Amino acid sequence: MNKLLFRSATLIHPESKFHNQVVDLLILDGKIEDIAQTIDVNGDDLEIINAEGCFISTGFFDLNANFGEPGNETCEDLISGTQTAVAGGFTGIALQPATEPPVHSKAGVSYILNRTSSYLTDVYPLGCISYNRAGKDLAELYDMKLAGAIAFTDGTSPINDSGLMSRALLYVKGFGGLIFSYPEDTSIAGKGKMNEGIVSTYLGMKGIPNLAEEVSISRDLYLAEYNESKIHFSTISCAGSVELIRKAKEKGIQVTCDVAVHHLVLTDEALSGFDTQYKVRPPLRTQNDVDALIAGLKDGTIDAIVSQHTPHEIEFKDVEFEIASFGIIGLQTALPLALKAGLSPALIVEKMAINPRQILHLPIPGFEKGDEVNLVLFNPEEEWTFEASTNKSKSANSPFINHKLKGKVLAVCNKKQFYYQQ
């Protein structure tokens, strides 16, 4: 990327004087050379992209992405994972520590940072809360923070020990750390495979009730309030959870939360055919929950939208529903699904680009002259088919494979690198 002109794009950036305006954006050597309603420039080395009808914003940032490396590179390695992220419009990701071995020491954090330092997408490792994600002893939180861990989580392994969670919240407070809580009381969830409700009863499947999530959120809110510490809830899925967090925010508790994008468009009725591609954790809930999640996004209760990208090899999904693994790939489908949920481009940018960085206290890339370029260009109306030829992931565990989707990422720029797809 040397000299590049985006022509007639609608800019979404609340801090810019050109917010919600159609602009031309000139980029030279990875920096913004000029931004105006019209830029008159030419030259043999100039590449012009017609962005009429498209939106341009700070690149998306995902708070919840899972790759396999180290240990499970066959499902997704750091190279394929970040290439998938770029194709989805993400210039930054917070990488879950659920690898083999888990990222529970400064060595694991340093490995990821060193391996990904030159990639277009910025990768921020999340460190484990507990050693080996076992939920018994605190991991090397401060050492990992010094090495570059952006926050701490055990992924989808809930911290069931209330004392351990309380100590983690108190400990990270001393150095400005942040705990990501995956809210699930496993003693209530048991061996459930889907949402507990009418559909699970009809199918004869063990269900995971909303109560498992809501009890866990209630406990952690009390612990965060007691320790006067910040807490972030990952992938909430229930109407009751939205209400609990809404009241906690009104009370002044330092809480943020996110929702997985597939929970905005799918319900447990999708499991009627026992299709393992719809098997996720937390499980798909009811339409009432979906409506509450969307309302929570619009009123500010839910701060961010995540992909919860969870790749699996075919042998972990092409099996009986009971033993199939939880999770779907989601980096490339995040934008189309958010649009399908009825969210506006401005709200999508807020929840997928601005707020995730604010939660992690990262700077928000801007659009002033001289700024380093960090952007995504997308067309909310363009249709494309998510299939083998367009899937950048090593895995294909998605219910949206071979489906036509509306909303396409056209270009991504970051760290003087440029990605463009017709």
Side-chain angles (χ1 to χ4, degrees), residues 59-131:
F60 299 146
F61 192 106
D62 191 14
L63 291 172
N64 193 323
N66 294 271
F67 298 164
E69 188 176 356
N72 289 314
E73 290 85 354
T74 51
C75 70
E76 197 85 282
D77 56 36
L78 292 169
I79 294 176
S80 66
T82 51
Q83 288 174 341
T84 307
V86 171
F90 293 90
T91 57
I93 57 171
L95 190 60
Q96 293 283 328
T99 50
E100 294 182 11
V103 181
H104 55 205
S105 68
K106 61 183 179 181
V109 173
S110 296
Y111 172 80
I112 293 171
L113 289 173
N114 291 335
R115 287 274 286 128
T116 61
S117 61
S118 64
Y119 297 172
L120 188 156
T121 296
D122 297 310
V123 178
Y124 295 87
L126 295 164
C128 292
I129 296 172
S130 67
Y131 180 76

Side-chain angles (χ1 to χ4, degrees), residues 169-278:
L169 288 167
L170 182 60
Y171 184 58
V172 300
K173 179 184 172 184
F175 57 83
L178 177 63
I179 295 294
F180 279 22
S181 171
Y182 172 71
E184 180 185 278
D185 187 316
T186 55
S187 65
I188 296 175
K191 296 182 180 179
K193 306 298 179 182
M194 63 176 295
N195 178 58
E196 181 183 272
I198 295 173
V199 178
S200 67
T201 303
Y202 172 74
L203 297 176
M205 298 285 290
K206 294 179 180 178
I208 301 174
N210 290 15
L211 183 67
E213 180 172 301
E214 294 161 6
V215 165
S216 182
I217 287 178
S218 296
R219 182 204 70 171
D220 287 352
L221 286 173
Y222 276 118
L223 294 176
E225 183 179 24
Y226 176 79
N227 291 292
E228 297 181 341
S229 182
K230 297 179 296 183
I231 191 167
H232 177 84
F233 290 106
S234 297
T235 60
I236 68 169
S237 64
C238 310
S241 301
V242 177
E243 188 59 26
L244 285 168
I245 293 170
R246 182 180 288 119
K247 290 180 178 178
K249 287 189 171 187
E250 292 172 354
K251 193 176 180 181
I253 297 174
Q254 301 175 77
V255 57
T256 54
C257 65
D258 64 56
V259 61
V261 69
H262 46 263
H263 280 107
L264 303 176
V265 296
L266 297 172
T267 69
D268 55 359
E269 294 183 2
L271 297 169
S272 298
F274 295 100
D275 187 344
T276 60
Q277 302 292 12
Y278 291 98

